[in-house]
Amino acid sequence: MIDRRQFLQATAAASLLVGAAGLGPLGRVAAQQRLTQADLLRFGAAGTFTLLYMTDLHAQLPPLYFREPSINLGVGEARGRPPHLTDEAFRTRFKVAAGSADAYALTSDDFIALAKSYGRMGGVDRLATLIKAIRAERGADKVLLLDGGDTWQGSWTSLKTNAQDMVDVQAALGVEAMTGHWEFTYGADRVKEIVDKAPFAFLAQNVRENEFGDAVFEPRKTFEKGGAKIAVIGQAFPRTPISNPAWMIPKWEFGLREDDVQKQVDEARAEGADVVVLLSHNGYDVDYKMAGRVKGLDVILAAHTHDAIPEAQQVGSTLIIAAGSHGKFLARLDLDVKDKKVSGYRFRLIPVFSDAIAPDAEMAALVGKIRAPFEKDLARELGRTETLLYRRGNFNGTFDDLICQAMLKQRDAEISLSPGFRWGGTLTPGDAITFDALANATAMTYPACYRMEMTGAQMKAVLEDVADNIFHPDPYFQGGGDMVRVGGVGYSIDVSKPVNQRISGLTELKTGKPLDADRKYVVAGWASVNKGTEGPPIWDVVEKHLADVKTVRLEPNTSVKVTGA
Amino acid sequence: MSSTFTPSRRTVLSAGAIAAFAAALAPRLAFADEKMVADEIKKLYGDKKIDAGKIKLDVPQIAENGLVVPITVDVESPMTDADFVKAVHVFADGNPQPGVVSYTFTPDCGKASASTRMRLAQTQNVVCIAEMSNGALYTAKAEVKVTIGGCGG
Amino acid sequence: MANPTPRVRVPAQAKKGEIIEIKTLISHEMESGQRKDSAGKTIPRQIINAFTAAFNGKQVFAATWHSAISANPYQSFFFKAQDSGEFKFAWKDDNGSEYTSTSKLTVA
C-alpha cells in the first residue's frame, strides 16, 4: 500500500529492548532492575484502535521456560526469510543484541545462561495484567483481543477438564474471537458444546459439514472499535483431519479454501468493513503465500508454526503478525483508519517476562482454582535433568530424545517414533522433571503408545512422507510442524530434493548396520491418528522410564545428517 | 494420576497403528498410469488437438481423506444454444482404473460447473477434458497429494 | 445394503434467468469391485453408474460415474431458471434398480 505509513521505522520492541542489551554478566537481579512492567507496556498509543493478539498458548497457565529453535529451515522461496532465521542470523536481521532480553526471548543460543538472567516467560496472570493495562490506557472500546487457537490443548488441566480451564481463562481475559486446530481433538460434540456457550466467537470459514458443505461455524464477525468496523475472518488449521484424528470430527471437512477466503473479504468490504483481518491457523509460510494471492486483507494474524517475529511483515498491502507461542508474547498492533482504509500502523511484539510483570490477582486466583484439584499430580517429581530439555528444532529436540529412549526401553522396541510437535515447555539443567512438565509435552486425547512391526522400506516411506509435509517447496502442500523424531535409527536428509528422494542412509544405531528394507523391526510410537490404537498413555511410559533412570543426561543428538539447506 | 502401568512388552501390535501406514504403503499393483489416461482420451477423441485453458479444476492440494476427495470442474462458456460445453471427462492416473466421471451439459445449465467426490488411491494427477459444442477440446491437470500426515504446531 | 435414499437441495423459488445450484446426495456403498473380503475373494462391483436430471421432462444434466466415485455419491450442478416446473432426478444402480426424486421450482 503506497499510502501506508509506519508510525515508527524501528519497532518499539527493538528500540526499547536494546536498552537492556549486554546485561549478560550482570545477572538476574540487575536484569530485573532494568526491565520493568512499564518498559514492556511503553508504546505510545497511535491510530484508531488497538488489536491485541495471542496465539498457540497450548494451555500454559503458569510461566515457563520455552527455548526457540536453533534449526528452522525454509525451503523454496521461504529459504532465509523470516521466520526461517535463527540465532545470529535472526539477531542480525532484527538488530537484536546478543545476550539481551530480546535475544533470550527470540533466539536459542546461550539459552541456559540467559534463562538464569531473565527467568520464565508467559503465565496467563501476567498476560491479564498487560491486557488490562492496555485496555485502561486506550479505553476498552478501542481494544480488540483475538486468539489464534491451539489454546485448549497442552497441559494436564486442559486434558482433565476437557478444555474448560482454558475456556474460563479466555473468558476472563476478554477474548473476543478465536479460531482452532488442536481444539478439534476434543471431538466435534465437545467443540460444539463449548462454542455454543462461550462468550467469544469461534470463527472458521473453512470448516464444513461433509454432506452438502454447510458452514459448521460462523465464518466471520464484525467488531466496532474506536469507530472503525473490523471484520475478522476465521481460518482453522486446514489440515486438521490429516494431522489429527479425523475420526474425532467425522462429519467435518476442512481445507485451505482460498477462493472462499476471497469471498469472505469481498462480502466484508461490501458490508462496509474498514479493516479486514484473517485470524489464521494456516501456518506462517501458507499465510505468506495467501497474502500474495487474496486481495483486500489488511492483516493476517499468523498461528500454528509458533514463530515469534518482532516486526510486522508486509506482503503487498497485507501485514502479517507472528506472535510466538505458549504465552511468551502478546502482540500489539495499533491501526490508524482514515477514509475506510488502514493508513498507518505501529507494532510491538511484547515479550511476557514473568519476573518483570505483576501477576493479575483475579487471574492468579482463577489459575490457582483450576490447578488445585490436580496439584498433587502436577507437583510430583519424576526425576531430574542435568541437561537442557527442549522441543523445538526441525529434526530433534532433547525432550523428544527422552521420550524416544523411554519408548525403546519400556516397550522393548528397536525403533521409536515421536511426532514433531512444537508444543511443550523447556527444562533447564538441574530442574526437576515434574509430572506437570511431562504433561506439558504429552497431554493429548490420543496418547496411546503403540507397538508394531515395520519393514525398513516402510520406515523410509514414513520418513519421506513426513519430510514432504515439511519441505515441499510449495507451502500449500505443507502441513507445518517438524520431522518425526526417531529413536534407535539415524538417517541423512537432503531437504532440497523432491518427495521420496530426501531420505538416505537409514542406520540402526545399536549395530551401525544399514536398515534392511525387507526385515521387520519392532517400532514403538505414540499419537497415532487412527481409531482403536492400543497401548499405555505415553506419559505413563515416560514416567516409568524416569523411575528407572532417575537422572536424565542427554548428549547432543547427531543421528540426523542434514544437507541441501 | 497413578503410575500403576506395567509395561506390557508383549502387547499385540495395534491394528490401528498398522492401518496408519497401510494406505501409503500399499503395493503398487495394477494401477492406471499416464498412458492409460491418454488411451482413454484417444478412445473418445482420436488424435484431435487438445488445448490448455478454459477449465478451472478445483481439487485440494492435499487430500484430507483419499476416499472422499472433492472435485469441482468449471468450464468457461456462455452456455447458449450456439456455444456451450457438451461434455466433460475426468480421469485419474494413479487409481486402479483411470475413469472418474463424465458429465453431459446442456445450455439449460446456464453454467458448465459440477462438483462431486472421488476416491484417490495414492498421490496422482487428475486430468480433465472438456468438449465444446463446436468440437474444440480443452484440458487441465492437477496433482492431489495423498499423505499419511504428520503434525507439528 | 440399506435402501438407497436420495436427498436433494433445490431452491423452491428463483427469478427468471437466475442460475441456481442444485445439490444431490444418495446413500450407497459404491462397492468398487476392487476390494477383497476376509477370505481373499474379490467383492463384486456394485455402484450407481449414472445420474440424470430432467426438468419438465427434458434432460438438462447427466453424469456417468465410475468406481472412483466415493460412497454416498454427491453431485452438484447448475440450472438456469426460465419457467416454473418440476425436476426429476434419477440414479441407476449396477443391479438394474433406479432410484428417483422430484422437486418443484417456482419462477417468479
Side-chain angles (χ1 to χ4, degrees), chain A residues 454-490:
Chain A
M454 277 169 82
T455 64
Q458 286 174 322
M459 261 306 294
K460 178 173 186 298
V462 167
L463 292 178
E464 288 283 5
D465 197 89
V466 179
D468 199 53
N469 272 327
I470 299 158
F471 299 115
H472 195 295
D474 180 346
Y476 278 15
F477 285 86
Q478 294 171 6
D482 289 311
M483 267 306 276
V484 58
R485 280 48 173 142
V486 185
V489 162

mmCIF file of all heavy atoms in Angstrom, chain A residues 454-490:
data_model
loop_
_atom_site.group_PDB
_atom_site.id
_atom_site.type_symbol
_atom_site.label_atom_id
_atom_site.label_comp_id
_atom_site.label_asym_id
_atom_site.label_seq_id
_atom_site.Cartn_x
_atom_site.Cartn_y
_atom_site.Cartn_z
ATOM 1 N N MET A 454 7.398 -52.913 11.492
ATOM 2 C CA MET A 454 7.506 -52.223 10.204
ATOM 3 C C MET A 454 8.783 -52.692 9.533
ATOM 4 O O MET A 454 9.793 -52.909 10.201
ATOM 5 C CB MET A 454 7.613 -50.710 10.425
ATOM 6 C CG MET A 454 6.295 -50.006 10.624
ATOM 7 S SD MET A 454 6.591 -48.327 11.195
ATOM 8 C CE MET A 454 6.916 -47.531 9.666
ATOM 9 N N THR A 455 8.749 -52.783 8.206
ATOM 10 C CA THR A 455 9.982 -53.127 7.499
ATOM 11 C C THR A 455 10.841 -51.872 7.336
ATOM 12 O O THR A 455 10.345 -50.746 7.497
ATOM 13 C CB THR A 455 9.675 -53.688 6.095
ATOM 14 O OG1 THR A 455 9.059 -52.653 5.330
ATOM 15 C CG2 THR A 455 8.773 -54.909 6.156
ATOM 16 N N GLY A 456 12.093 -52.080 7.004
ATOM 17 C CA GLY A 456 12.982 -50.953 6.738
ATOM 18 C C GLY A 456 12.430 -50.074 5.621
ATOM 19 O O GLY A 456 12.521 -48.841 5.677
ATOM 20 N N ALA A 457 11.841 -50.706 4.599
ATOM 21 C CA ALA A 457 11.280 -49.948 3.474
ATOM 22 C C ALA A 457 10.114 -49.082 3.931
ATOM 23 O O ALA A 457 9.963 -47.935 3.500
ATOM 24 C CB ALA A 457 10.825 -50.904 2.370
ATOM 25 N N GLN A 458 9.307 -49.640 4.850
ATOM 26 C CA GLN A 458 8.172 -48.859 5.363
ATOM 27 C C GLN A 458 8.647 -47.665 6.187
ATOM 28 O O GLN A 458 8.096 -46.576 6.102
ATOM 29 C CB GLN A 458 7.259 -49.758 6.203
ATOM 30 C CG GLN A 458 6.439 -50.720 5.344
ATOM 31 C CD GLN A 458 5.652 -51.715 6.175
ATOM 32 O OE1 GLN A 458 6.142 -52.190 7.203
ATOM 33 N NE2 GLN A 458 4.463 -52.046 5.732
ATOM 34 N N MET A 459 9.715 -47.877 6.989
ATOM 35 C CA MET A 459 10.292 -46.786 7.780
ATOM 36 C C MET A 459 10.692 -45.634 6.868
ATOM 37 O O MET A 459 10.407 -44.471 7.130
ATOM 38 C CB MET A 459 11.556 -47.262 8.512
ATOM 39 C CG MET A 459 11.404 -47.643 9.961
ATOM 40 S SD MET A 459 10.650 -46.375 10.959
ATOM 41 C CE MET A 459 11.924 -45.121 10.856
ATOM 42 N N LYS A 460 11.367 -45.989 5.765
ATOM 43 C CA LYS A 460 11.822 -44.950 4.838
ATOM 44 C C LYS A 460 10.611 -44.219 4.245
ATOM 45 O O LYS A 460 10.592 -42.996 4.154
ATOM 46 C CB LYS A 460 12.685 -45.551 3.726
ATOM 47 C CG LYS A 460 13.121 -44.497 2.722
ATOM 48 C CD LYS A 460 14.111 -45.004 1.686
ATOM 49 C CE LYS A 460 14.647 -43.911 0.776
ATOM 50 N NZ LYS A 460 13.682 -43.214 -0.042
ATOM 51 N N ALA A 461 9.575 -44.997 3.884
ATOM 52 C CA ALA A 461 8.392 -44.375 3.283
ATOM 53 C C ALA A 461 7.733 -43.392 4.253
ATOM 54 O O ALA A 461 7.289 -42.317 3.852
ATOM 55 C CB ALA A 461 7.401 -45.451 2.858
ATOM 56 N N VAL A 462 7.696 -43.759 5.534
ATOM 57 C CA VAL A 462 7.104 -42.867 6.533
ATOM 58 C C VAL A 462 7.918 -41.577 6.644
ATOM 59 O O VAL A 462 7.383 -40.468 6.629
ATOM 60 C CB VAL A 462 7.005 -43.572 7.900
ATOM 61 C CG1 VAL A 462 6.699 -42.576 9.005
ATOM 62 C CG2 VAL A 462 5.949 -44.670 7.862
ATOM 63 N N LEU A 463 9.243 -41.715 6.727
ATOM 64 C CA LEU A 463 10.093 -40.522 6.853
ATOM 65 C C LEU A 463 9.965 -39.636 5.611
ATOM 66 O O LEU A 463 9.914 -38.407 5.717
ATOM 67 C CB LEU A 463 11.554 -40.921 7.067
ATOM 68 C CG LEU A 463 11.878 -41.586 8.407
ATOM 69 C CD1 LEU A 463 13.352 -41.968 8.473
ATOM 70 C CD2 LEU A 463 11.539 -40.668 9.573
ATOM 71 N N GLU A 464 9.907 -40.248 4.428
ATOM 72 C CA GLU A 464 9.761 -39.480 3.190
ATOM 73 C C GLU A 464 8.444 -38.697 3.197
ATOM 74 O O GLU A 464 8.391 -37.530 2.818
ATOM 75 C CB GLU A 464 9.780 -40.410 1.964
ATOM 76 C CG GLU A 464 11.150 -41.009 1.650
ATOM 77 C CD GLU A 464 12.095 -40.037 0.963
ATOM 78 O OE1 GLU A 464 11.747 -38.851 0.801
ATOM 79 O OE2 GLU A 464 13.218 -40.467 0.603
ATOM 80 N N ASP A 465 7.383 -39.380 3.620
ATOM 81 C CA ASP A 465 6.070 -38.751 3.619
ATOM 82 C C ASP A 465 6.034 -37.546 4.558
ATOM 83 O O ASP A 465 5.534 -36.474 4.205
ATOM 84 C CB ASP A 465 5.020 -39.786 4.030
ATOM 85 C CG ASP A 465 3.622 -39.341 3.672
ATOM 86 O OD1 ASP A 465 3.185 -39.632 2.547
ATOM 87 O OD2 ASP A 465 2.973 -38.694 4.511
ATOM 88 N N VAL A 466 6.569 -37.734 5.757
ATOM 89 C CA VAL A 466 6.562 -36.634 6.728
ATOM 90 C C VAL A 466 7.470 -35.500 6.229
ATOM 91 O O VAL A 466 7.121 -34.322 6.322
ATOM 92 C CB VAL A 466 6.991 -37.120 8.124
ATOM 93 C CG1 VAL A 466 7.007 -35.954 9.099
ATOM 94 C CG2 VAL A 466 6.063 -38.217 8.630
ATOM 95 N N ALA A 467 8.625 -35.866 5.665
ATOM 96 C CA ALA A 467 9.556 -34.841 5.163
ATOM 97 C C ALA A 467 8.895 -33.990 4.078
ATOM 98 O O ALA A 467 9.096 -32.777 4.009
ATOM 99 C CB ALA A 467 10.824 -35.499 4.615
ATOM 100 N N ASP A 468 8.071 -34.622 3.243
ATOM 101 C CA ASP A 468 7.406 -33.863 2.180
ATOM 102 C C ASP A 468 6.381 -32.880 2.746
ATOM 103 O O ASP A 468 6.119 -31.840 2.156
ATOM 104 C CB ASP A 468 6.741 -34.828 1.188
ATOM 105 C CG ASP A 468 6.458 -34.149 -0.151
ATOM 106 O OD1 ASP A 468 7.412 -33.576 -0.728
ATOM 107 O OD2 ASP A 468 5.301 -34.171 -0.610
ATOM 108 N N ASN A 469 5.810 -33.235 3.903
ATOM 109 C CA ASN A 469 4.868 -32.320 4.556
ATOM 110 C C ASN A 469 5.561 -31.082 5.098
ATOM 111 O O ASN A 469 4.914 -30.075 5.383
ATOM 112 C CB ASN A 469 4.170 -33.022 5.722
ATOM 113 C CG ASN A 469 2.928 -33.747 5.272
ATOM 114 O OD1 ASN A 469 2.248 -33.300 4.361
ATOM 115 N ND2 ASN A 469 2.638 -34.870 5.897
ATOM 116 N N ILE A 470 6.865 -31.157 5.300
ATOM 117 C CA ILE A 470 7.603 -30.040 5.902
ATOM 118 C C ILE A 470 8.437 -29.315 4.857
ATOM 119 O O ILE A 470 8.546 -28.100 4.870
ATOM 120 C CB ILE A 470 8.514 -30.571 7.028
ATOM 121 C CG1 ILE A 470 7.654 -31.230 8.109
ATOM 122 C CG2 ILE A 470 9.338 -29.454 7.653
ATOM 123 C CD1 ILE A 470 8.421 -32.215 8.939
ATOM 124 N N PHE A 471 9.011 -30.067 3.904
ATOM 125 C CA PHE A 471 9.986 -29.461 2.983
ATOM 126 C C PHE A 471 9.492 -29.393 1.538
ATOM 127 O O PHE A 471 10.282 -29.178 0.625
ATOM 128 C CB PHE A 471 11.314 -30.216 3.072
ATOM 129 C CG PHE A 471 11.913 -30.151 4.452
ATOM 130 C CD1 PHE A 471 12.055 -31.286 5.242
ATOM 131 C CD2 PHE A 471 12.300 -28.924 5.001
ATOM 132 C CE1 PHE A 471 12.584 -31.213 6.519
ATOM 133 C CE2 PHE A 471 12.831 -28.843 6.278
ATOM 134 C CZ PHE A 471 12.971 -29.996 7.040
ATOM 135 N N HIS A 472 8.193 -29.585 1.307
ATOM 136 C CA HIS A 472 7.668 -29.351 -0.044
ATOM 137 C C HIS A 472 7.873 -27.875 -0.364
ATOM 138 O O HIS A 472 7.539 -27.006 0.443
ATOM 139 C CB HIS A 472 6.178 -29.714 -0.095
ATOM 140 C CG HIS A 472 5.651 -29.841 -1.492
ATOM 141 N ND1 HIS A 472 5.585 -28.772 -2.361
ATOM 142 C CD2 HIS A 472 5.198 -30.908 -2.189
ATOM 143 C CE1 HIS A 472 5.104 -29.188 -3.530
ATOM 144 N NE2 HIS A 472 4.865 -30.484 -3.447
ATOM 145 N N PRO A 473 8.433 -27.553 -1.546
ATOM 146 C CA PRO A 473 8.733 -26.142 -1.818
ATOM 147 C C PRO A 473 7.485 -25.249 -1.936
ATOM 148 O O PRO A 473 7.585 -24.037 -1.762
ATOM 149 C CB PRO A 473 9.504 -26.180 -3.153
ATOM 150 C CG PRO A 473 9.317 -27.561 -3.702
ATOM 151 C CD PRO A 473 8.948 -28.461 -2.578
ATOM 152 N N ASP A 474 6.319 -25.839 -2.184
ATOM 153 C CA ASP A 474 5.091 -25.035 -2.243
ATOM 154 C C ASP A 474 4.396 -25.125 -0.894
ATOM 155 O O ASP A 474 3.933 -26.187 -0.486
ATOM 156 C CB ASP A 474 4.172 -25.588 -3.346
ATOM 157 C CG ASP A 474 2.871 -24.786 -3.473
ATOM 158 O OD1 ASP A 474 2.552 -23.997 -2.562
ATOM 159 O OD2 ASP A 474 2.184 -24.971 -4.493
ATOM 160 N N PRO A 475 4.294 -23.982 -0.176
ATOM 161 C CA PRO A 475 3.719 -24.040 1.174
ATOM 162 C C PRO A 475 2.304 -24.608 1.214
ATOM 163 O O PRO A 475 1.892 -25.141 2.237
ATOM 164 C CB PRO A 475 3.738 -22.590 1.648
ATOM 165 C CG PRO A 475 4.289 -21.773 0.558
ATOM 166 C CD PRO A 475 4.763 -22.648 -0.550
ATOM 167 N N TYR A 476 1.555 -24.486 0.112
ATOM 168 C CA TYR A 476 0.190 -25.025 0.126
ATOM 169 C C TYR A 476 0.195 -26.554 0.219
ATOM 170 O O TYR A 476 -0.839 -27.159 0.462
ATOM 171 C CB TYR A 476 -0.594 -24.567 -1.112
ATOM 172 C CG TYR A 476 -1.187 -23.171 -0.989
ATOM 173 C CD1 TYR A 476 -0.778 -22.294 0.006
ATOM 174 C CD2 TYR A 476 -2.168 -22.735 -1.868
ATOM 175 C CE1 TYR A 476 -1.315 -21.021 0.110
ATOM 176 C CE2 TYR A 476 -2.725 -21.462 -1.775
ATOM 177 C CZ TYR A 476 -2.299 -20.605 -0.788
ATOM 178 O OH TYR A 476 -2.840 -19.351 -0.690
ATOM 179 N N PHE A 477 1.344 -27.176 -0.004
ATOM 180 C CA PHE A 477 1.458 -28.625 0.156
ATOM 181 C C PHE A 477 2.078 -29.001 1.505
ATOM 182 O O PHE A 477 2.343 -30.165 1.758
ATOM 183 C CB PHE A 477 2.288 -29.235 -0.983
ATOM 184 C CG PHE A 477 1.540 -29.321 -2.292
ATOM 185 C CD1 PHE A 477 1.509 -28.254 -3.157
ATOM 186 C CD2 PHE A 477 0.857 -30.485 -2.633
ATOM 187 C CE1 PHE A 477 0.809 -28.326 -4.361
ATOM 188 C CE2 PHE A 477 0.155 -30.566 -3.828
ATOM 189 C CZ PHE A 477 0.128 -29.481 -4.700
ATOM 190 N N GLN A 478 2.362 -28.026 2.339
ATOM 191 C CA GLN A 478 2.984 -28.311 3.632
ATOM 192 C C GLN A 478 1.935 -28.461 4.727
ATOM 193 O O GLN A 478 0.843 -27.911 4.609
ATOM 194 C CB GLN A 478 3.945 -27.186 4.034
ATOM 195 C CG GLN A 478 5.154 -27.056 3.127
ATOM 196 C CD GLN A 478 5.956 -25.789 3.423
ATOM 197 O OE1 GLN A 478 5.669 -25.078 4.371
ATOM 198 N NE2 GLN A 478 6.943 -25.521 2.595
ATOM 199 N N GLY A 479 2.309 -29.183 5.773
ATOM 200 C CA GLY A 479 1.388 -29.361 6.892
ATOM 201 C C GLY A 479 1.827 -28.646 8.153
ATOM 202 O O GLY A 479 1.096 -28.611 9.127
ATOM 203 N N GLY A 480 2.991 -28.050 8.133
ATOM 204 C CA GLY A 480 3.516 -27.414 9.347
ATOM 205 C C GLY A 480 4.137 -28.454 10.262
ATOM 206 O O GLY A 480 4.013 -29.655 10.035
ATOM 207 N N GLY A 481 4.815 -27.992 11.295
ATOM 208 C CA GLY A 481 5.415 -28.924 12.239
ATOM 209 C C GLY A 481 6.828 -29.298 11.832
ATOM 210 O O GLY A 481 7.398 -28.733 10.899
ATOM 211 N N ASP A 482 7.386 -30.239 12.564
ATOM 212 C CA ASP A 482 8.766 -30.663 12.346
ATOM 213 C C ASP A 482 8.818 -32.140 12.011
ATOM 214 O O ASP A 482 7.819 -32.846 12.109
ATOM 215 C CB ASP A 482 9.589 -30.347 13.592
ATOM 216 C CG ASP A 482 9.805 -28.843 13.758
ATOM 217 O OD1 ASP A 482 10.202 -28.199 12.772
ATOM 218 O OD2 ASP A 482 9.550 -28.326 14.854
ATOM 219 N N MET A 483 10.031 -32.607 11.638
ATOM 220 C CA MET A 483 10.216 -34.019 11.306
ATOM 221 C C MET A 483 9.854 -34.899 12.498
ATOM 222 O O MET A 483 10.112 -34.535 13.652
ATOM 223 C CB MET A 483 11.679 -34.303 10.935
ATOM 224 C CG MET A 483 12.000 -34.211 9.461
ATOM 225 S SD MET A 483 10.962 -35.213 8.375
ATOM 226 C CE MET A 483 11.762 -36.811 8.460
ATOM 227 N N VAL A 484 9.298 -36.055 12.173
ATOM 228 C CA VAL A 484 9.050 -37.052 13.202
ATOM 229 C C VAL A 484 10.399 -37.387 13.852
ATOM 230 O O VAL A 484 11.415 -37.499 13.173
ATOM 231 C CB VAL A 484 8.360 -38.294 12.584
ATOM 232 C CG1 VAL A 484 9.164 -38.912 11.469
ATOM 233 C CG2 VAL A 484 8.060 -39.342 13.656
ATOM 234 N N ARG A 485 10.435 -37.469 15.164
ATOM 235 C CA ARG A 485 11.667 -37.792 15.887
ATOM 236 C C ARG A 485 11.846 -39.303 15.884
ATOM 237 O O ARG A 485 10.881 -40.041 16.098
ATOM 238 C CB ARG A 485 11.577 -37.340 17.338
ATOM 239 C CG ARG A 485 11.833 -35.881 17.621
ATOM 240 C CD ARG A 485 11.135 -34.888 16.791
ATOM 241 N NE ARG A 485 11.385 -33.551 17.346
ATOM 242 C CZ ARG A 485 11.572 -32.462 16.662
ATOM 243 N NH1 ARG A 485 11.496 -32.475 15.346
ATOM 244 N NH2 ARG A 485 11.806 -31.317 17.255
ATOM 245 N N VAL A 486 13.096 -39.736 15.669
ATOM 246 C CA VAL A 486 13.354 -41.168 15.549
ATOM 247 C C VAL A 486 14.345 -41.607 16.622
ATOM 248 O O VAL A 486 15.395 -40.987 16.783
ATOM 249 C CB VAL A 486 13.926 -41.491 14.155
ATOM 250 C CG1 VAL A 486 14.083 -42.987 13.987
ATOM 251 C CG2 VAL A 486 13.007 -40.951 13.066
ATOM 252 N N GLY A 487 14.006 -42.672 17.332
ATOM 253 C CA GLY A 487 14.928 -43.263 18.287
ATOM 254 C C GLY A 487 15.439 -44.589 17.748
ATOM 255 O O GLY A 487 14.703 -45.320 17.087
ATOM 256 N N GLY A 488 16.710 -44.888 17.988
ATOM 257 C CA GLY A 488 17.280 -46.171 17.577
ATOM 258 C C GLY A 488 17.791 -46.200 16.154
ATOM 259 O O GLY A 488 18.413 -47.171 15.739
ATOM 260 N N VAL A 489 17.524 -45.147 15.403
ATOM 261 C CA VAL A 489 17.886 -45.110 13.984
ATOM 262 C C VAL A 489 18.443 -43.738 13.633
ATOM 263 O O VAL A 489 17.988 -42.722 14.155
ATOM 264 C CB VAL A 489 16.637 -45.417 13.116
ATOM 265 C CG1 VAL A 489 16.830 -44.970 11.683
ATOM 266 C CG2 VAL A 489 16.303 -46.897 13.167
ATOM 267 N N GLY A 490 19.444 -43.712 12.751
ATOM 268 C CA GLY A 490 19.946 -42.454 12.207
ATOM 269 C C GLY A 490 19.669 -42.415 10.716
ATOM 270 O O GLY A 490 19.425 -43.454 10.097
#
